[in-house]
Amino acid sequence: MRTSLLIDGDLVDGGAGGFDTINPATEEVLGQVADGDVDDMDRAIAAARTAFDDTDWSRDTALRVHCLRQLRDALVDEIEHLRSITVAEVGAPVALTYGGQLQMPVDGLGYIADLAESYEWTTDLGMAAPFGKPTRRTVVREPCGVVGAVTPWNFPHQINFAKLGPALAAGNTVVLKPAPDTPWCAAEIGRIIKDRTDFPAGVVNIVTSSDHRIGAQLTEDPRVDLVSFTGSTATGRVVMAAASQTVKKVFLELGGKSAYIVLDDADLPAACAAAAAGVAMHAGQGCAFTTRLLVPRAHYDEAVATASAAMSGIGCGDPADPGTLCGPLISSRQRDRVEGYLTLAIAEGGWFGCGGGRPAGRDRGFYIEPTVIGGLTNEARVAREEIFGPVLVVLAHDGDADAVRLANDSPYGLSGAVVGADQNRVDWVAARLRTGTVNVNGGVWYAADAPFGGYKQSGIGREMGLAGFEEYLETKLLAKGVQ
Ligand code: NAD
């Protein structure tokens, strides 16, 4: 298969030719992708600008709702094709494609269409007489304009649709620049939009590219009104600085180093097993995964042993196998990065409860064994920096307040978890975590109507839910003089 760019309603080749997309479980070339260049991105931005400025798209809510439902239905119709691409290109365990890796984000388009349909676009503030002038005031919510969306490879459908859905529902036009590692997941959405929906030309543009600069172009172009970026905190800083030149609205979903807190009255074995599974999943390539396990100091050794037994039991395997939880990492570059952190863990005085390198007997695929690191404090770099691999660092705490202190002692603030028997203590801890989401005694925060995002260096703004929709709106006040 060879995929195309979607620009101004046409499926076209890339100016820079083509590039390969790779299966990370086998290292084989899956096929080709159109390689967008500077001119392609320029035309995509121009098309989005024209579709916003010169058509009724931004004012026609019924058309937008219709198109989003059509897209959802067409995606459902092609779900098995999309599933096979997602497993092959992302290395996503197939079991996860029935949830956050595919099905739930597709279903989320239905949620966002319903939300746009029922949304109160105007609010009557009533009469007032500022400076003695009788005035009727109305607040109007309007789309921002052209949205530049830049996304990573780890949960491509979740992140692409969490931007496309609300941005389009709100009446914006979009240029999507997906990650070079997972271009098919986005390009196939472009084909489906072109072939199976009534989205007007230029409303959605998708530019795959092997060159990160093509993403940067979106952040610099004055015709783009808002940049919605998900990726690493390092790139997020660059995006924010670039967007400042034209004072764009910037929405950032960045990295994390979230804590899983086990209080001293919790079921320790069950908590450690749950924490291990949460980090082994998709080889740890989740921004909100709880990669620091904070356990009572008196039970530290038992916790490391239990988490290690759970991690070893999970192992890693072929993502196409329905029993696999931990597949490969996305690329050799990412595996090198994770191996660098494993070397660093030992250099910092840590030790492996299990794992610590590549699995024996697998000479193809970018695999790393699920790994538990013990013997370190929260000052260690492997406890502070995002590894983005199946690596759990176990740390000791000295009670509830100390656990809160350690959890919050991080540059990040994306997510967290706390488990314990005494609900009052659990609630006390949860209320003090400086993170955008908290799993409280096993609750699940991921849903189409639930806002998701980070405090501190994990980001700015919220994705999903009503808050995620309103990120893509401007507020206008109409003040009508009354005689
Ligand atoms: P990355 O930051 O390297 O790349 C993300 C995207 O940005 C890619 O499409 C890339 O081409 C593009 N890009 C690179 N340089 C750019 C620039 N200067 N200007 C504009 N775009 C540029 O991230 P990654 O390695 O693809 O993804 C992993 C990271 O994403 C992790 O740090 C992870 O925590 C984060 N992430 C965050 C969330 C969240 O919601 N908070 C979700 C998933 C992933």
Side-chain angles (χ1 to χ4, degrees):
M1 186 166 87
R2 181 189 171 105
T3 57
S4 305
L5 315 178
L6 176 64
I7 300 179
D8 204 11
D10 289 324
L11 295 173
V12 295
D13 282 339
F19 66 104
D20 294 338
T21 188
I22 308 286
N23 182 332
T26 63
E27 303 181 34
E28 285 162 6
V29 174
L30 285 166
Q32 285 271 302
V33 186
D35 200 358
D37 66 6
V38 171
D39 291 339
D40 294 319
M41 181 53 89
D42 186 64
R43 284 190 296 115
I45 296 170
R49 189 74 256 167
T50 301
F52 186 80
D53 291 340
D54 299 345
T55 78
D56 261 353
W57 173 256
S58 67
R59 280 170 290 277
D60 192 343
T61 306
L63 174 63
R64 303 201 302 269
V65 168
H66 161 75
C67 290
L68 284 166
R69 288 186 180 143
Q70 250 186 340
L71 176 58
R72 188 261 327 264
D73 293 348
L75 294 166
V76 168
D77 207 38
E78 296 205 27
I79 204 89
E80 293 311 323
H81 167 64
L82 294 169
R83 193 186 318 286
S84 66
I85 286 179
T86 309
V87 172
E89 183 178 69
V90 186
V94 65
L96 302 184
T97 64
Y98 294 90
Q101 276 288 13
L102 179 61
Q103 189 68 53
M104 287 174 75
V106 167
D107 294 344
L109 292 175
Y111 161 81
I112 206 75
D114 293 350
L115 178 60
E117 196 167 48
S118 61
Y119 190 67
E120 299 285 342
W121 298 88
T122 60
T123 309
D124 183 5
L125 280 191
M127 288 291 296
F131 311 109
K133 270 274 214 205
T135 306
R136 174 166 288 284
R137 293 93 33 82
T138 308
V139 177
V140 183
R141 306 304 308 271
E142 296 186 329
C144 295
V146 174
V147 171
V150 181
T151 56
W153 40 261
N154 58 330
F155 281 77
H157 299 300
Q158 162 56 34
I159 299 166
N160 290 340
F161 289 132
K163 297 189 188 309
L164 286 174
L168 294 168
N172 301 276
T173 58
V174 181
V175 180
L176 170 66
K177 207 299 288 172
D181 294 300
T182 51
W184 272 7
C185 287
E188 280 297 88
I189 308 313
R191 175 188 58 77
I192 290 171
I193 287 173
K194 160 77 179 160
D195 290 348
R196 305 194 55 173
T197 74
D198 297 326
F199 278 99
V203 164
V204 188
N205 305 273
I206 300 178
V207 181
T208 51
S209 176
S210 62
D211 182 358
H212 295 310
R213 278 291 314 154
I214 302 304
Q217 200 177 330
L218 272 175
T219 68
E220 294 159 3
D221 194 298
R223 295 168 294 178
V224 175
D225 298 289
L226 182 156
V227 175
S228 180
F229 171 81
T230 298
S232 62
T233 295
T235 309
R237 282 190 198 100
V238 176
V239 165
M240 200 172 168
S244 73
Q245 293 304 309
T246 45
V247 195
K248 294 186 199 319
K249 228 178 142 177
V250 177
F251 168 81
L252 302 173
E253 293 285 4
L254 308 176
K257 191 77 183 182
S258 302
Y260 190 112
I261 298 174
V262 183
L263 301 184
D264 61 13
D265 61 353
D267 177 343
L268 186 81
C272 292
V279 173
M281 181 166 61
H282 191 28
Q285 299 167 110
C287 51
F289 291 1
T290 42
T291 49
R292 290 182 294 154
L293 176 59
L294 271 51
V295 299
R297 190 174 301 280
H299 300 290
Y300 184 80
D301 292 342
E302 183 191 348
V304 174
T306 310
S308 300
M311 280 287 223
S312 303
I314 292 166
C316 53
D318 180 356
D321 180 338
T324 294
L325 185 65
C326 178
L329 295 165
I330 190 68
S331 61
S332 59
R333 173 181 45 83
Q334 192 64 18
R335 183 178 55 186
D336 289 349
R337 191 180 130 84
V338 173
E339 286 182 318
Y341 275 111
L342 296 178
T343 304
L344 178 65
I346 301 302
E348 289 188 304
W351 39 269
F352 299 133
C354 67
R358 301 182 189 191
R362 277 193 184 275
D363 54 355
R364 305 291 287 171
F366 309 121
Y367 287 95
I368 288 285
E369 288 178 296
T371 299
V372 172
I373 298 173
L376 293 175
T377 71
N378 201 45
E379 305 311 312
R381 276 183 58 200
V382 291
R384 303 192 77 75
E385 298 176 15
E386 185 177 55
I387 297 175
F388 232 55
V391 182
L392 181 67
V393 181
V394 187
L395 304 168
H397 71 73
D398 294 309
D400 300 5
D402 192 49
V404 169
R405 180 187 65 77
L406 288 167
N408 287 339
D409 180 11
S410 167
Y412 296 112
L414 195 52
S415 191
V418 51
V419 292
D422 180 338
Q423 191 65 47
N424 288 333
R425 285 175 57 198
V426 170
D427 290 344
W428 188 92
V429 169
R432 283 160 180 75
L433 295 180
R434 301 264 305 142
T435 62
T437 49
V438 185
N439 152 354
V440 183
N441 268 337
V444 177
W445 44 255
Y446 174 64
D449 64 347
F452 171 76
Y455 289 24
K456 300 192 272 183
Q457 293 184 32
S458 288
I460 299 174
R462 291 294 175 273
E463 202 141 72
M464 321 259 287
L466 178 63
F469 175 71
E470 292 185 332
E471 291 287 344
Y472 295 94
L473 293 174
E474 290 278 14
T475 300
K476 176 188 278 178
L477 182 89
L478 294 176
K480 205 176 278 182
V482 178
Q483 297 312 314

